[in-house]
Amino acid sequence: MGLEEYKGVYIFAQQVDNKLSNIAFELLGKARDLAKDLDTDVTAVLIGCDVKGLADELAAYGADKVIVVDDPQLKEYRTEPYAHALSSVINKYKPEIMLVGATAIGRDLGPRVSARVATGLTADCTKLDIGDFPLTPVPGKEQKHNQLLMTRPAFGGNTIATIACPNHRPQMATVRPGVMQAIAKIPGAKAVVEEYNPGFEPNNNYVEIMDVVKSVVDTVDIMDAKILVSGGRGVGSPENFKILEDLAKAIGGEVSCSRAVVDAGWKPKDLQVGQTGKTVRPNVYFAIGISGAIQHVAGMEESDVIIAINKDDTAPIFEVADYGIVGDLNKIVPELTKQIIAAKEAKI
Amino acid sequence: MDFSLSKKHLMAQSLFRSFAENEVKPLAQEVDETEEFPKATVEKMAKSGFLGIPVPKEYGGQGCDPLTYVMCVEELAKVCGTTAVIVSAHTSLCIDPIMTYGTEEQKQKYVPDLASGRKLGAFGLTEPGAGTDAQGQQTKAVLDGDEWVLNGSKCFITNGKQADVYIIIAVTGIVEKRGRKMKEISAFIVEKGTPGFSFGTKEKKMGIRGSSTYELIFTDCRIPKENLLGQQGKGFNIAMHTLDGGRIGIAAQALGLAEGALETTIKYVKERKQFGRSIAQFQNTQFQLADMATKVEAAKMLVYRAAMAKATQKTYSVEAAMAKLYAAEVAMEVTTKAVQLHGGYGYIREYDVERMMRDAKITEIYEGTSEVQRMVISGNILK
């Protein structure tokens, strides 16, 4: 059968405990753009048990159609029944594009499904476009149009690869959470809901779930944090670290510190960044009240974005900072926290 | 040209030696092990006048020449590197700049207490970003009415927290020099206990472990206008000239460490027997010791010459740099060989030589690394 039979942009609408994950809305946002370029529609695949009620929410975020696979076997995520459900949907409905969130669930599910339906999968994409493949025409080779161009960082972010899947369908990608934008909620939107059950025969690949543990992590390895709010001596006192903690909480980051703070006994040594502490590479590093001696900078200069707040405009930290504010951290940090909270609430 | 010590010098030397043997040596291991500043020893040294040797009598000192002071540091270092550097930093880096650059009021106010040892002195130049490149200062001093306001920090400060009087180097502005923007650097006298002046980290060191090495922190620290030392903007020259003198002190410390290790080793190789005879009877031992003794003697001549130069010449940068460079490298080599000649016992903390080897390494680094000394020397040769 021909590739042209495959139509539509599909997303896997991840839910946990019958609550849709944010990534589902982010994927819908991106899927809308792709569908517009291809002049087609957006379908969400909702897999679970008693999840039909979530369909309207998917419609509100841009799904034209929702395919619901509802079965007691699908109550909690397990590789086998979920892979069976999604690959059955693909085989029946023939989507042109199938997007899955690169969450722990999606990274497990995506490759299983792509192998079952014998197509290509690009993992952990950060950019998706519709375009030509090859990007520039190669003599003697057909240039295909309307291909999904999937871009992802490889080798630890040191190179960027753009990958296409010209000869197989669907074109599958897992997409990094937090990269795509959900659309503003459309109140009262309704989607076409179609129920489909491929039938579930438990086999020896079915995992038995013994226990689900939801842990609350209170000590965090700062080396794993994506956002670090780091304080130096300029914070002034251990009590004053509260304003940094508030900012970290608002922005979903962790608090770290400089050696001076550890020496003063304000914070434990395992939060220290620098030559004699830990080397960190978060996406965002706030250096607050940190002068930026090389002994500290050596431990954080690889951060993607460095934001410095310091009252001394000649502090060396500004040499490595992408963004800097000269001023009193006691005024700036709470204001920043306030604005971040406000911006987040506006989005919801 | 006279290479023999005068009667006065010989008397002073024997005084230092007996003090070192009786008061310092018995505590050297404990000071190293506990990393505790030998406060009681410093008080005894104050009583004996060791904390103001080259200071004129009218300012409460002993009125001796630089060579006498150098011999004191040397004798102390023979038994304890820590005790030697306490005296050296206090005398060369704190008293000396006040004596050289201070106003009469400043001298009267600070020197008698320092020279008598009622107060201890220290010198704050180095910062995390400004070691060898001392121009890279970040600490600022801003004149506000009739007070200077200091902000910033200093690191690796010898006698930190123990000292009462600190010479602090800070940036007081930006000046245009030949079209280039340069920092204007000045020197200040800052007293412990001034609000806004606190102490940060105590460094844990490889050697001279009883020496109190601290970070100094200045947060809106206000000092009187009259605590500017020398002219505003002359701080860098003051610091460099002070270090010239300090280097003679460190050279003396290195010399003492090498001599102490050599003496200890000579005694040991005569006692230790292997293959039925003392190891002093093996030619390898003899030749090693011959080399060590020769280098120590050469270092001694350079150190004493630098001390004499300080007494008789206006500038003595090169003499001081040569003395420190050579004595420090000899100290490192001689102490390393001393450990080797002690064999396995040399590696045990119960014996003194491993401590001497750990103490020796810093003499190649502080008050200007060996590389800086080579810069000073070659810069002078290639003028």
Side-chain angles (χ1 to χ4, degrees), chain A residues 233 259-260 263 293-295 311-312 314-316, chain B residues 128-129 138 140 151 153 200-203 215 217:
Chain A
R233 188 185 289 128
R259 178 182 162 189
D263 291 335
I294 187 66
Q295 293 78 357
K311 66 173 199 262
D312 177 4
T314 63
Chain B
Q138 292 283 342
K140 285 191 186 62
N151 272 295
S153 68
T201 321
K202 181 187 182 187
E203 303 298 347
E215 180 184 30
I217 302 163

Side-chain angles (χ1 to χ4, degrees), chain A residues 288-310:
Chain A
I288 300 173
I290 292 174
S291 66
I294 187 66
Q295 293 78 357
H296 181 81
V297 168
M300 46 64 84
E301 61 191 341
E302 296 286 317
S303 307
D304 299 343
V305 176
I306 296 168
I307 300 164
I309 301 170
N310 201 302

Side-chain angles (χ1 to χ4, degrees), chain A residues 21 114 116 127 153 260 301 318 338:
Chain A
S21 308
S114 72
R116 280 186 201 198
K127 193 164 168 272
E301 61 191 341
F318 290 117
K338 213 166 85 186

Side-chain angles (χ1 to χ4, degrees), chain A residues 18 23 57 59 77 134 188 220 242 284 329:
Chain A
N18 288 19
I23 183 70
E57 204 178 346
Y77 176 78
V220 175
K242 185 171 179 325
V284 182
L329 63 94

Side-chain angles (χ1 to χ4, degrees), chain A residues 96-119:
Chain A
E96 189 176 8
I97 291 173
M98 180 78 231
L99 303 180
V100 178
T103 58
I105 287 175
R107 284 163 175 248
D108 181 68
L109 180 64
R112 304 270 176 175
V113 172
S114 72
R116 280 186 201 198
V117 302
T119 188

Side-chain angles (χ1 to χ4, degrees), chain A residues 88-249:
Chain A
S88 304
V89 168
I90 290 172
N91 288 333
K92 180 168 159 48
Y93 292 91
K94 301 193 170 32
E96 189 176 8
I97 291 173
M98 180 78 231
L99 303 180
V100 178
T103 58
I105 287 175
R107 284 163 175 248
D108 181 68
L109 180 64
R112 304 270 176 175
V113 172
S114 72
R116 280 186 201 198
V117 302
T119 188
L121 169 79
T122 304
D124 207 24
C125 295
T126 51
K127 193 164 168 272
L128 296 169
D129 295 301
I130 301 298
D132 297 338
F133 181 81
L135 296 172
T136 45
V138 177
K141 193 172 175 187
E142 183 202 358
Q143 190 183 32
K144 298 191 167 194
H145 307 300
N146 289 339
Q147 299 295 305
L148 180 64
L149 301 177
M150 301 169 270
T151 302
R152 59 156 309 191
F155 298 107
N158 289 313
T159 185
I160 301 290
T162 300
I163 297 163
C165 176
N167 305 324
H168 298 83
R169 289 292 178 268
Q171 301 163 96
M172 276 186 78
T174 59
V175 181
R176 187 177 290 189
V179 175
M180 306 304 172
Q181 295 287 330
I183 59 166
K185 201 168 173 177
I186 310 161
K190 288 273 181 253
V192 179
V193 179
E194 191 167 329
E195 292 194 60
Y196 169 67
N197 191 321
F200 291 88
E201 300 258 327
N203 57 38
N204 61 3
N205 289 336
Y206 269 38
V207 170
E208 187 188 344
I209 296 183
M210 308 299 289
D211 194 7
V212 177
V213 181
K214 290 192 167 57
S215 66
V216 180
V217 183
D218 45 8
T219 52
V220 175
D221 187 350
I222 57 170
M223 292 168 81
D224 296 338
K226 295 272 176 263
I227 298 176
L228 281 175
V229 178
S230 207
R233 188 185 289 128
V235 175
S237 68
E239 296 74 37
N240 209 27
F241 258 85
K242 185 171 179 325
I243 59 173
L244 271 67
E245 278 148 23
D246 293 345
L247 172 60
K249 200 169 147 211

Side-chain angles (χ1 to χ4, degrees), chain B residues 326-354:
Chain B
Y326 190 74
E329 295 193 344
V330 166
M332 199 63 230
E333 188 185 342
V334 168
T335 53
T336 308
K337 284 188 167 153
V339 170
Q340 187 68 21
L341 286 165
H342 277 70
Y345 294 97
Y347 200 68
I348 306 288
R349 292 215 296 271
E350 209 177 322
Y351 289 74
D352 290 323
V353 284
E354 68 80 32

